[in-house]
Amino acid sequence: MSKVWICQNKTAGIPLYLTQQQINVYSLEELCYYLYQNAEVIEETFFDEKLLLWLEKELGLVNLCEKLRTGLAQGKDGFWCMLVLLWESGYYTKEELKKVETIITQIIQAKPEERKKLQADRMLQEGRYKGAMWEYLQLLNLSTDKMFESKLWHNMGTAYAKQFLFQRAAQCYKKAYELGDNEESRQQYLLATAYAEGQKLEENRVPFREEQLRQVREQEDIWRYEKEVYQRLEQLVEEYMRSE
């Protein structure tokens, strides 16, 4: 989200520690930002009495906590609590809240293994590669769905590639392609294999223009910079395919 939030509510003297992310939250604004950005992986158990006591004692949100406790006593679930918090904060538009509702609906309808994959995907996005790979392996041991397994292998390949372990990444992408016949997995396999084998393009055949690329990046022309990098990667893949 491209917003600058000024905390208008009370700031906690004792922060709420989020174990999984290993961060402290000091305000309602920070809590709502965390909920919104992580809506697809928040567990219902997150909305427990510990959270309510923190909101009540540290932030002084007595009425809000009373509303949440009443709803929970009536059988409302944790996802309802999430929507109430986001709505009561007043920081999100109706369109943004609708997006969260859609995510929650998908989560409720998802199978347990799909929800587990969402959590692993979040770890992958956050750079917690070992944790993500562990979750993917656990899911692979239980899965009997080839298409689902293909997605798991593909993401494991990405986790390896992010750590510059290109040979292992290539093996994962290859397995993903064999199971799912997905073109993206095939392209990533070729790219990872090219890196693993140390393929180097001759400068007179595919000029890299390192200095020009550096200047583009320094000019903060992000769109152009990403386009240049992508073109270079495509050239590397094409060179490797010709060498097969």
Side-chain angles (χ1 to χ4, degrees):
M1 294 179 63
S2 56
K3 292 182 178 179
V4 176
W5 285 1
I6 299 176
C7 296
Q8 299 178 348
N9 294 290
K10 180 180 177 181
T11 301
I14 300 176
L16 176 68
Y17 181 67
L18 304 180
T19 306
Q20 189 174 12
Q21 282 68 33
Q22 299 181 346
I23 59 174
N24 288 321
V25 170
Y26 287 88
S27 66
L28 178 63
E29 292 85 352
E30 290 180 340
L31 176 63
C32 288
Y33 180 82
Y34 167 76
L35 294 177
Y36 186 87
Q37 295 296 324
N38 297 275
E40 69 274 3
V41 295
I42 297 290
E43 293 288 343
E44 287 192 65
T45 53
F46 179 83
F47 304 93
D48 56 9
E49 186 61 22
K50 176 184 176 182
L51 173 64
L52 297 181
L53 287 174
W54 181 78
L55 290 168
E56 191 173 55
K57 294 184 178 181
E58 293 297 324
L59 301 185
L61 300 173
V62 178
N63 293 335
L64 176 58
C65 289
E66 183 178 347
K67 181 176 182 178
L68 292 172
R69 285 195 178 96
T70 300
L72 290 171
Q74 294 173 348
K76 302 288 187 180
D77 57 25
F79 298 125
W80 173 83
C81 292
M82 183 191 301
L83 289 174
V84 169
L85 282 166
L86 294 175
W87 177 263
E88 292 290 338
S89 71
Y91 292 108
Y92 292 97
T93 64
K94 290 182 179 180
E95 290 74 20
E96 290 171 326
L97 291 173
K98 189 67 177 178
K99 176 184 175 182
V100 175
E101 288 184 22
T102 300
I103 292 173
I104 289 174
T105 300
Q106 293 173 344
I107 292 173
I108 293 173
Q109 295 175 348
K111 298 177 182 178
E113 59 269 24
E114 292 172 339
R115 293 182 64 177
K116 199 70 176 176
K117 178 181 175 297
L118 286 173
Q119 293 178 338
D121 292 345
R122 172 62 65 175
M123 292 183 186
L124 179 60
Q125 293 174 10
E126 294 176 346
R128 293 184 287 149
Y129 305 125
K130 290 183 179 180
M133 288 190 294
W134 171 258
E135 295 296 341
Y136 291 140
L137 284 171
Q138 296 301 307
L139 288 169
L140 282 169
N141 290 333
L142 300 174
S143 176
T144 57
D145 184 335
K146 287 187 176 181
M147 292 304 297
F148 184 64
E149 291 172 22
S150 174
K151 295 177 181 178
L152 296 174
W153 281 110
H154 183 98
N155 288 4
M156 279 188 63
T158 300
Y160 277 122
K162 292 284 188 179
Q163 300 175 83
F164 303 98
L165 301 172
F166 295 114
Q167 185 173 357
R168 294 182 180 179
Q171 293 169 351
C172 291
Y173 286 133
K174 181 180 180 182
K175 185 69 175 179
Y177 179 66
E178 291 172 347
L179 290 170
D181 196 28
N182 185 289
E183 180 61 22
E184 183 182 355
S185 296
R186 177 177 174 275
Q187 291 294 328
Q188 293 298 327
Y189 162 69
L190 291 172
L191 182 60
T193 301
Y195 275 124
E197 295 186 359
Q199 291 282 334
K200 299 296 182 181
L201 300 180
E202 297 175 9
E203 190 169 347
N204 62 345
R205 295 173 64 186
V206 185
F208 271 13
R209 308 188 305 282
E210 293 291 349
E211 181 61 24
Q212 294 178 21
L213 192 59
R214 183 186 64 78
Q215 292 175 1
V216 170
R217 183 172 56 185
E218 290 179 352
Q219 292 169 1
E220 298 184 355
D221 190 343
I222 302 301
W223 182 86
R224 184 182 165 200
Y225 174 72
E226 291 181 347
K227 182 180 179 181
E228 292 275 355
V229 172
Y230 183 74
Q231 288 176 344
R232 286 176 50 182
L233 293 178
E234 281 190 325
Q235 291 167 348
L236 183 59
V237 171
E238 291 174 2
E239 179 72 9
Y240 178 73
M241 290 175 70
R242 286 195 296 268
S243 69
E244 286 188 310

